[in-house]
Amino acid sequence: DALANIESTKTIRVAVPQDFPPFGSVGSDMKPVGYDVDMANLIGEKLGVKVELVPVTSANRIPYLQTNKVDLVISSLGKNPDREKVIDFTDAYAPFFNGVFGPDDVTAAKAEDLAGKSVGVTRGAVEDLELTKIAPATTDIKRYEDNNGTISAFLSGQVDLVATGNVVAAAILARNPPKKPEIKFLIKNSPCSIGLNKNEPALLEKVNTIIADARKSGELNAIAQKWLGADLPAEF
Amino acid sequence: MMMEFTTWDILRNLLLAARWTVLLSLVSFVGGSLVGLAILFMRIGKNVWLKRFAQGYIELFQGTPLLMQLFLAFFGLGLVGVDVPAWLAAALALTLWTAAFLAEIWRGCVEAIVRGQWEASSSLAMGYVQQMRYVILPQALKIAVPPTVGFSVQVVKGTALTSIIGFVELSKAGTMVTNATFQPFIVYGFVALIYFALCWPLSKSSQILERKLNVAHRNH
Amino acid sequence: MTYSFDFSWIGEYLPVLLKGVGITVELILVGAFFGVALGTLCAWIRALGPLWLRPVVGAYVEMIRNTPFLIQLFFIFFGLPSLGFRMSELQAANLAMIVNLGAYSCEIIRAGIQATPRGQFEAGASLAMSPIQTFWHVVLIPSLQRIWPALSSQIVIVMLGSAAVSQIAAEDLTFAANFIQSRNFRAFEAYLVSTVIYLFLAIVLRQLLRGAGALLFAKRRAAQ
Amino acid sequence: MSLIEITEVRKSFGTNEVLKGINIDVDPGEVIAIIGKSGSGKSTLLRCINGLETIDSGSIAVAGAQLLPDELHLRALRLKIGMIFQSFNLFPHLTAGKNVMLSQMVVKKVPTADAEATARKMLDRVGLAHKFDAYPEELSGGQQQRVAIARALAMQPMALLCDEITSALDPELVNEVLAVVKELAAEGMTLLMVTHEMRFARDVCTRVVFMHQGRVHEIGAPQDVFGDPKTPELKQFLGLQAA
Amino acid sequence: MSLIEITEVRKSFGTNEVLKGINIDVDPGEVIAIIGKSGSGKSTLLRCINGLETIDSGSIAVAGAQLLPDELHLRALRLKIGMIFQSFNLFPHLTAGKNVMLSQMVVKKVPTADAEATARKMLDRVGLAHKFDAYPEELSGGQQQRVAIARALAMQPMALLCDEITSALDPELVNEVLAVVKELAAEGMTLLMVTHEMRFARDVCTRVVFMHQGRVHEIGAPQDVFGDPKTPELKQFLGLQAA
Ligand SMILES: Nc1ncnc2c1ncn2[C@@H]1O[C@H](COP(=O)(O)OP(=O)(O)OP(=O)(O)O)[C@@H](O)[C@H]1O
Ligand SMILES: Nc1ncnc2c1ncn2[C@@H]1O[C@H](COP(=O)(O)OP(=O)(O)OP(=O)(O)O)[C@@H](O)[C@H]1O
Ligand SMILES: [Mg+2]
Ligand SMILES: [Mg+2]
């Protein structure tokens, strides 16, 4: 039982991203920072245990969980039925404000307009799952390893458009690049969940309670404000 | 919310991470040499089963991506309940991988020793182990130095793949910093430079050793 | 802990896997052919070519051999467009592999050329062949024959290294594995399957290269 | 007019002056043997004539044309003069036939069919018509050397330079190569050969050049050189040879 | 009693039968020259005696003990019989002295000091005491071959097999090696040597074996074999050699 284990060792091990700002990246001291990191700390605090952050990539985050090297994966995971067969998901802990961005001269007001265009996206991220569902068949979705690949592909003109978080796009815009990622349309807001191993009802229940409490108390909203620059949406 | 990194921050973090690159390289090279020697003996020995094993081993480790080997060493072992720490898994996988290549390189060197040396030592009543120990290996090791040093460059670059099991070595640090700064050219430029600074001396010394050896040979 | 392996997804993702295998195979075939061609050209320059070009090629070889493939790939895919050379991820992957193998095979082939007995060059010259004709008709084939095993190994190494191209969204075998596990979180199964396929490809490639060598150098023995 | 005019040729390797002013004129159809001790500069002289070494001073002219050290002139020269080496230097990856065809096709752009016809003729001339498809490693040393001769002849040179072409052969095989050379001489080919086969030099050659320490020490008809050596060096050299 | 008894020995490489039933008995102190054309099986015979090749049928006995192809018997045999090769096969990474010391120390477990003393004695015997610390590449071919002899002698063998030990040497160096062998013969060492030095065979050997196509074609005292060859093959062989 993972929860008992956490309580007895007084530590919770959490997988967090370090290549996916604003959810997880590193500070100039190479320590992880971001929405997911704050979330992990919040959970640790509520559980009254020490938090051990394990930086992961999209390729190894689930194996970390499955081999019991971490207790939770807080890595802006989106749910889908296949994934739910392998791990359990908590309630949503973060909204995902993401959209399709592109330069001025490309018009794309809705998903159908992506037909025949190339769109860069980070492989396995929520926007990848969503975009794959809604984009027309002729859309050329290019899936890069991490956020940087996606952004670089856009900036170097390898793709017409990118699908990414709006904070990321804003940060890029702030640098005033030759190619400006301006919002075209928002992808359906698909919230992120925390992942944990199957058959851990106690832990699942506990984390869900913490999330619900944090929503009510406004702590979650504070994190959203800090990292996403916006309040949690109403349905949260 | 983007982190502010100065150029110095970037370089400093990369150099700090490069320590792991160096350490992992050293570990895998030393470990790989020892295991490689063992594989070499099986490969050139007389026992058919050991020979097959060594062949299969070499085929397996030279025929699959190092990335997958690392993945399976770390998570695969975890899956069967052996909880190895990341450094051990990295050292293990890199060692086994290095060993496969070194064993092959060295086999070539042993086979380069002319048959006359085997025959002369046979006719002096030496046994197989004695021939190896006193006649063949001393000569083979000498010609093995340049290609071995040359291969160490591959080991240094191979350590980059340990990021799959959570190592923040030079390449991984580069990706992490890039994802925080979105300045791929500066970051990867530095990464390339640091790799070059690590590898080039090795390549160069391998070339120089090779040249020396050839000269020595020609003087015969 | 008990983990139950589940390969039932293979049917659903078979097209992705097959496409991945196809692209990996295409990458290695194109990469090997043009890479060895580039390597041959560079080897000629370094061993026999114009003096002023030799350091240029030398710098290229040292640069490539002493930096990771992934970084080379990034510079080609993300960097070259800023100089006006835009290419698709597949073209970039191909180019990166050619450039990479070109540098390695240059050094290997050069060793083969330098092991050519001087008499072969002199025989060519005394038959009024130009140095280039002598190189092409007389020196090259036996040189390749001398270093064929080393070259074959390097080609297999480059094939396995091609996994990195998945990072620039080229949909090779590793991309397929990553894509699959990103959808269904079956990372072990996906990586296992791709590892086995890589092993299979490596074995087949080695055999093919051996066969090509036997065909190319049939009944002919390199001098020395 | 002389076919090959060698005038005051000098050649040094570093500080080692190997040719110290060589003068020889070779008329068309002459068969000249060059003899001398090891290191006396025989090979170097032949290699200079064929442009494999550049000379330091003096001049070499073939059929009236000066030997100049640029690529174009060299190739023109080598079309006129063939060379055969002690170590055969056949191309190991080509059959005997292809060895003979290659330079015709590559240098003279002769069509394949014609090159093949010539190759068959030349191989026939050296008694190896049946070895057209054999690879060098399948041939004995004597056969390989005869292929090398056929290969040089296929370029229809005005003269042939032969550098100890039988030295690498087992005694039984020497004669088959010398027989071919003898026939060439009889047909009027101009030949300049470094050789240790004194009997052959005496029987076949029109003139013999004795080189000593980078100089032409004696030169003359075989009967004079062998029968009445003037200098003590030649006497000693011939004495050594007889031993 | 014979020291080496070779009885009906046969050996094939694939389908090529190289030894077709060889019978030779060698008495202690005999010096036997094996002569014959290239490919007649001389080297193969020596290599079989020393166990470097396994025989297909027949038997070889040394000092009464059968040669059996297992590691233990082979090593025991090789303690009794030394072998010297055409290509010297010195260990290039060891000095002359260490070359001679190595097998004593490794095989016979002789202490270093004793091995060194023996090595010095043996090198002295072949006239190379002063080259104890020289590496093979610093020695001339003749000197290398003499070190090889010293190395074999240091194992105190009952007999020595020599396979064309002077063929790789320049003519001037042949004599210094043959002088050593002659001395060994005079001291009573049993010697089996493949050689092309007919004069040496005639002067030094007790018996001469002429091999032809895998058989002992003639065998006898040197004066008989050389002075009165019985078979046309031997006559031809000797005739060729004289040419
Ligand atoms: N490429 C070279 N570089 C330096 N010295 C050379 C070179 N080629 C020849 N020599 C020197 O020139 C001298 C003459 O050499 P050459 O080969 O012409 O002699 P040779 O008369 O042909 O002797 P041999 O009968 O042994 O073939 C020798 O002292 C040799 O060492
Ligand atoms: N390892 C081998 N494998 C196959 N054939 C061999 C081998 N060694 C020798 N032979 C063949 O055996 C025959 C006899 O060879 P061997 O070396 O005994 O002759 P030899 O009398 O010593 O000749 P030489 O005077 O040239 O040394 C030759 O036809 C040779 O090709
Ligand atoms: Mg010469
Ligand atoms: Mg022999």
Side-chain angles (χ1 to χ4, degrees), chain D residues 3-210:
Chain D
L3 181 61
I4 304 176
E5 285 172 67
I6 302 167
T7 319
E8 277 303 317
V9 163
R10 287 170 181 275
K11 168 78 188 170
S12 304
F13 290 111
T15 58
N16 178 13
E17 191 167 32
V18 176
L19 300 181
K20 299 172 182 162
I22 304 281
N23 292 291
I24 308 176
D25 284 1
V26 182
D27 289 333
E30 267 203 297
V31 177
I32 295 189
I34 303 175
I35 61 174
K37 276 209 302 195
S38 179
S40 55
K42 308 181 296 293
S43 296
T44 305
L45 177 61
L46 283 203
R47 294 166 59 80
C48 285
I49 298 176
N50 202 30
L52 288 176
E53 306 284 358
T54 52
I55 57 179
D56 297 336
S57 70
S59 78
I60 296 176
V62 174
Q66 285 291 318
L67 191 168
L68 296 172
D70 63 296
E71 186 61 18
L72 223 70
H73 280 87
L74 273 181
R75 294 183 60 189
L77 164 88
R78 288 170 182 158
L79 279 174
K80 295 184 213 148
I81 293 196
M83 180 146 180
I84 309 162
F85 303 84
Q86 174 174 347
S87 50
F88 327 144
N89 293 339
L90 290 187
F91 306 138
H93 60 300
L94 300 178
T95 60
K98 287 273 160 59
N99 259 282
V100 183
M101 287 162 68
L102 181 66
S103 57
Q104 299 178 59
M105 293 168 61
V106 167
V107 177
K108 294 190 168 175
K109 315 287 177 207
V110 174
T112 310
D114 297 357
E116 186 175 331
T118 311
R120 289 198 187 278
K121 211 171 68 193
M122 292 305 157
L123 282 176
D124 192 29
R125 197 159 157 195
V126 298
L128 289 175
H130 58 295
K131 292 292 187 187
F132 191 90
D133 289 317
Y135 283 92
E137 60 165 355
E138 299 164 344
L139 301 175
S140 75
Q143 292 173 327
Q144 288 192 48
Q145 192 59 291
R146 279 144 69 200
V147 174
I149 295 175
R151 184 173 71 173
L153 289 177
M155 298 297 280
Q156 292 158 321
M158 306 163 99
L160 273 187
L161 311 176
C162 307
D163 190 1
E164 299 195 30
I165 60 175
T166 57
S167 303
L169 300 178
D170 292 338
E172 311 116 70
L173 305 175
V174 169
N175 290 325
E176 68 183 57
V177 171
L178 289 183
V180 169
V181 177
K182 202 164 177 174
E183 216 171 287
L184 288 178
E187 290 169 17
M189 172 63 78
T190 310
L191 287 166
L192 232 81
M193 46 195 307
V194 174
T195 184
H196 289 313
E197 303 289 329
M198 295 303 148
R199 211 176 294 174
F200 181 82
R202 166 178 261 145
D203 294 352
V204 177
C205 296
T206 50
R207 274 196 295 169
V208 175
V209 174
F210 170 60

Side-chain angles (χ1 to χ4, degrees), chain B residues 59-60 62-65 67-68 71-72 75-76 79 81 101 153-154 157 164 171 185 188-189 191-192 195-196 199-200 203-204 207, chain C residues 1 3 5 62-68 71 74-75 78-79 104 107 156-157 160 174 187-188 191-192 194-195 198-199 202-203 206:
Chain B
E59 188 86 58
L60 182 68
Q62 291 196 352
T64 53
L67 186 78
M68 306 292 177
F71 184 91
L72 294 173
F75 296 114
L79 209 55
F101 280 90
V153 174
Q154 307 308 315
K157 293 196 277 171
I164 187 82
S171 286
F185 288 106
Y188 287 129
V191 170
Y195 271 113
F196 191 84
C199 295
W200 193 68
S203 307
K204 205 68 203 165
Q207 282 166 15
Chain C
M1 103 169 259
Y3 179 84
F5 281 89
E62 294 296 337
M63 223 167 64
I64 297 297
R65 279 163 34 108
N66 292 299
T67 53
I71 308 271
F74 281 168
F75 275 95
F78 297 127
Y104 279 98
E107 286 306 276
V156 173
I157 290 172
L160 295 173
T174 299
F188 292 107
Y191 289 148
L192 259 181
S194 68
T195 302
Y198 271 117
L199 181 58
I203 292 172
R206 228 186 287 273

Side-chain angles (χ1 to χ4, degrees), chain A residues 26-100:
Chain A
V26 290
S28 54
D29 55 358
M30 297 302 272
K31 294 252 162 37
V33 291
Y35 193 116
D36 290 344
V37 178
D38 283 3
M39 190 66 210
N41 287 326
L42 180 74
I43 292 174
E45 191 184 308
K46 299 289 172 195
L47 286 172
V49 297
K50 217 175 105 238
V51 177
E52 195 181 305
L53 296 174
V54 179
V56 294
T57 64
S58 72
N60 63 19
R61 56 193 178 184
I62 303 306
Y64 264 105
L65 184 63
Q66 290 169 324
T67 55
N68 260 337
K69 293 180 197 293
V70 296
D71 303 302
L72 298 176
V73 175
I74 308 183
S75 178
S76 51
L77 294 178
K79 285 196 239 187
N80 77 8
D82 274 349
R83 289 177 168 189
E84 278 175 303
K85 282 186 217 152
V86 181
I87 62 170
D88 275 346
F89 290 90
T90 64
D91 297 336
Y93 73 96
F96 207 88
F97 291 106
N98 46 37
V100 171

Side-chain angles (χ1 to χ4, degrees), chain A residues 66 83 123 128 142 158, chain C residues 1 77 87 89 182-183:
Chain A
Q66 290 169 324
R83 289 177 168 189
R123 187 193 314 130
D128 178 12
K142 304 280 190 206
Q158 296 286 9
Chain C
M1 103 169 259
F77 187 65
M87 58 197 103
E89 62 278 356
S182 80
R183 297 301 136 125

Side-chain angles (χ1 to χ4, degrees), chain A residues 77-147:
Chain A
L77 294 178
K79 285 196 239 187
N80 77 8
D82 274 349
R83 289 177 168 189
E84 278 175 303
K85 282 186 217 152
V86 181
I87 62 170
D88 275 346
F89 290 90
T90 64
D91 297 336
Y93 73 96
F96 207 88
F97 291 106
N98 46 37
V100 171
F101 299 83
D104 251 355
D105 51 349
V106 179
T107 47
K110 52 189 182 309
E112 290 75 51
D113 296 344
L114 297 180
K117 299 197 169 66
S118 56
V119 187
V121 67
T122 303
R123 187 193 314 130
V126 178
E127 61 264 31
D128 178 12
L129 301 183
E130 292 301 327
L131 196 69
T132 308
K133 271 188 250 166
I134 61 174
T138 56
T139 307
D140 189 7
I141 303 179
K142 304 280 190 206
R143 297 178 177 87
Y144 298 94
E145 182 83 2
D146 54 22
N147 235 330

